[in-house]
Amino acid sequence: SVGDMAYREMLGEGKNQAVLICGESGAGKTECCKFVLAFLIAKKESTVERLDEKLMATNDPLEAFGNAKTVNNDNSSRFAKCMQICLDAEGRVIGSEIQTSLLEKGRSCAFFQQERNFHIFYMLCHYRHEKCGPDPGEEQDTDTSDAQDLLGDKAHKYLKASKDYFFIKPGAVEVDTEGQLYSERFRASDIDWFKRVIKSFRDSLGYTKVDTDNMMALLTGILHMGEIEFTDDDAAQVEAKSMPELEIVADCFGLDAEKFREEIVLERIMMGGSLIDKTLNKIKAMSARDAICKSVFQTIFTDIVERCNESVAGEREKAVGKVGVLDIFGFERMQFNSLEQICINYTNEKLHQTFINEVFETEKKVYRDEGLDPGAINFTDNAKVLEMVTGCNPHDTSGKSGAT
């Protein structure tokens, strides 16, 4: 396998290796990444206690907070993950480091047709309100009698059904190709998955109950932020009917409700060396509201990644080599592409171009050097696609193309 080749090359030549896993959304990249990771862990028993368990325990939280159902894939990674597996001279895994990038945080406050928001939001709602048994043929724990313990007091108190939240409603009320509601299709797996996430948090990643309770309260606050509406004025205010929602958000975020009501519709502009308060119009107030949601969600995700890295650090400073496993986000064809999705698609095109250069262009050079006709090597080059985005043809080394 590719994983075995990388492992042997690292030990034999003493050079760091990289395994790049890419493809369209739904191609199986994340599962393939898990297989490579499990293979490397199983090669030789680690000298670091419970390291294998801790490495595998990072999967459930990262996928719950970083993955979502898209049109093409029920569990699409909405971020890129590179896991550096650190090995000692004997080929044993002694530590790891996780690097992430391009989290599609805009999804946390967006309205998508035939898709879902990040899985974690549905897990919360389903754990609080849904009652069901396991899916046929699945070994799932769907007992939610411990909801208050796992969710925490604030989340347990304020959470509504997923169909009642603007940010995540489509992922609850829409139906799949067989006519089944998404909420019914995923609820059992969401409940079982949420149990595993909390178990990973508390048993492997160093979170206390207070930590997880606060996190669930923040996520609940994000959902209620989507219910806050503003008056249709040039100087917008929070609508009176939205005050109960704002008070819930303030409680979940640990803020003073009245101060929060004033601040959410203000921007501060530097004029003449002084800060001037300016009231936002409705559109800008909604953008400010959404920006808060994105920032809070990004902060939560970043903290999870940091906790994962603390958990799996092991003895990585003693490593003699590394095998990097890059699980890149999938290429998606959406009706409306967000900035993050455009960046995701562009990154995939760049990676494909790297593959073309390493495999086909290098092989054609070998043909030419040996006096053979390279015309027999046919492949589809995506250079024009990259040139359309950057204004620079990747094969042009003259420096005359447009700016990168």
Side-chain angles (χ1 to χ4, degrees):
S1 70
V2 174
D4 185 56
M5 186 183 302
Y7 180 83
R8 294 179 183 277
E9 289 286 333
M10 195 285 295
L11 289 179
E13 298 188 9
K15 295 180 180 180
N16 293 338
Q17 303 292 312
V19 178
L20 173 60
I21 303 172
C22 60
E24 284 195 89
S25 183
K29 299 178 297 300
T30 299
E31 292 304 311
C32 184
C33 178
K34 293 177 186 177
F35 288 140
V36 173
L37 177 60
F39 170 80
L40 294 173
I41 293 172
K43 288 296 288 185
K44 286 190 178 181
E45 185 176 355
S46 176
T47 56
V48 181
E49 185 179 2
R50 294 180 60 224
L51 181 60
D52 55 343
E53 176 187 327
K54 291 177 179 178
L55 281 167
M56 300 309 292
T58 63
N59 288 324
D60 281 328
L62 290 176
E63 289 185 32
F65 283 79
N67 289 21
K69 181 201 178 303
T70 63
V71 174
N72 299 318
N73 185 2
D74 284 351
N75 188 33
S76 176
S77 298
R78 310 317 300 157
F79 70 106
K81 178 178 70 174
C82 181
M83 182 170 282
Q84 299 277 358
I85 308 300
C86 304
L87 305 169
D88 65 11
E90 300 298 319
R92 295 172 295 203
V93 176
I94 58 172
S96 180
E97 181 179 5
I98 300 170
Q99 299 171 336
T100 64
S101 61
L102 275 179
L103 174 69
E104 191 188 22
K105 56 183 180 291
R107 180 174 289 266
S108 64
C109 54
F111 190 103
F112 290 92
Q113 297 286 352
Q114 296 183 308
E115 298 195 9
R116 299 210 309 173
N117 205 308
F118 291 108
H119 295 314
I120 187 62
F121 290 115
Y122 300 94
M123 293 180 188
L124 293 178
C125 297
H126 291 167
Y127 210 89
R128 177 65 181 88
H129 292 287
E130 296 288 342
K131 305 293 181 184
C132 64
D135 292 327
E138 298 290 337
E139 294 184 4
Q140 297 167 327
D141 185 352
T142 57
D143 177 18
T144 58
S145 59
D146 56 354
Q148 188 155 1
D149 174 54
L150 269 58
L151 292 169
D153 292 340
K154 289 183 179 180
H156 187 269
K157 176 181 178 181
Y158 295 128
L159 276 170
K160 299 185 290 187
S162 54
K163 65 180 178 62
D164 295 325
Y165 287 116
F166 176 77
F167 284 163
I168 66 173
K169 182 177 180 179
V173 302
E174 292 192 2
V175 297
D176 60 19
T177 54
E178 298 180 357
Q180 186 180 24
L181 284 169
Y182 286 159
S183 58
E184 296 176 356
R185 176 179 167 189
F186 294 108
R187 63 185 176 185
S189 59
D190 283 343
I191 291 170
D192 179 67
W193 192 346
F194 184 70
K195 283 182 179 289
R196 301 199 308 269
V197 169
I198 297 298
K199 179 176 174 59
S200 294
F201 278 159
R202 296 181 182 177
D203 293 353
S204 300
L205 302 186
Y207 283 94
T208 64
K209 183 181 185 311
V210 172
D211 292 333
T212 58
D213 286 357
N214 289 337
M215 183 190 297
M216 300 310 136
L218 289 173
L219 293 169
T220 303
I222 291 175
L223 291 175
H224 282 271
M225 280 282 278
E227 306 305 300
I228 296 176
E229 298 181 16
F230 302 92
T231 58
D232 196 8
D233 304 318
D234 289 337
Q237 298 295 324
V238 176
E239 288 195 354
K241 66 178 183 180
S242 295
M243 282 306 299
E245 300 290 345
L246 183 140
E247 290 170 358
I248 291 174
V249 174
D251 190 23
C252 290
F253 286 1
L255 304 173
D256 177 82
E258 183 59 28
K259 189 66 174 175
F260 183 49
R261 182 189 66 80
E262 296 173 358
E263 293 288 335
I264 198 172
V265 293
L266 291 180
E267 67 173 336
R268 289 183 170 85
I269 304 172
M270 181 66 72
M271 294 184 64
S274 301
L275 283 174
I276 306 298
D277 288 347
K278 179 184 177 182
T279 305
L280 301 170
N281 60 32
K282 180 178 181 178
I283 299 300
K284 289 186 177 180
M286 292 173 64
S287 295
R289 176 201 65 189
D290 293 353
I292 294 171
C293 296
K294 296 174 189 178
S295 179
V296 172
F297 191 81
Q298 176 73 72
T299 301
I300 293 171
F301 186 79
T302 300
D303 182 68
I304 293 171
V305 174
E306 290 175 354
R307 294 285 191 123
C308 288
N309 278 322
E310 291 172 7
S311 173
V312 302
E315 300 173 348
R316 61 187 179 212
E317 70 280 355
K318 299 179 181 179
V320 299
K322 299 178 181 179
V323 176
V325 183
L326 177 60
D327 176 15
I328 195 67
F329 23 55
F331 187 99
E332 292 268 4
R333 297 180 180 91
M334 297 179 173
Q335 186 175 4
F336 299 101
N337 277 335
S338 64
L339 174 61
E340 291 98 341
Q341 187 61 53
I342 292 174
C343 292
I344 286 168
N345 290 351
Y346 173 69
T347 303
N348 275 281
E349 294 289 358
K350 286 285 286 184
L351 289 170
H352 185 61
Q353 180 62 213
T354 300
F355 175 82
I356 288 172
N357 288 334
E358 289 297 320
V359 177
F360 297 113
E361 292 294 344
T362 302
E363 191 68 17
K364 288 176 72 172
K365 183 178 183 301
V366 171
Y367 271 50
R368 285 191 290 267
D369 291 345
E370 295 183 0
L372 301 175
D373 179 16
I377 302 176
N378 297 313
F379 60 92
T380 301
D381 194 349
N382 68 339
K384 290 295 183 181
V385 175
L386 294 173
E387 185 175 10
M388 177 184 67
V389 177
T390 65
C392 177
N393 190 304
H395 299 315
D396 185 1
T397 59
S398 67
K400 296 180 180 180
S401 294
T404 59

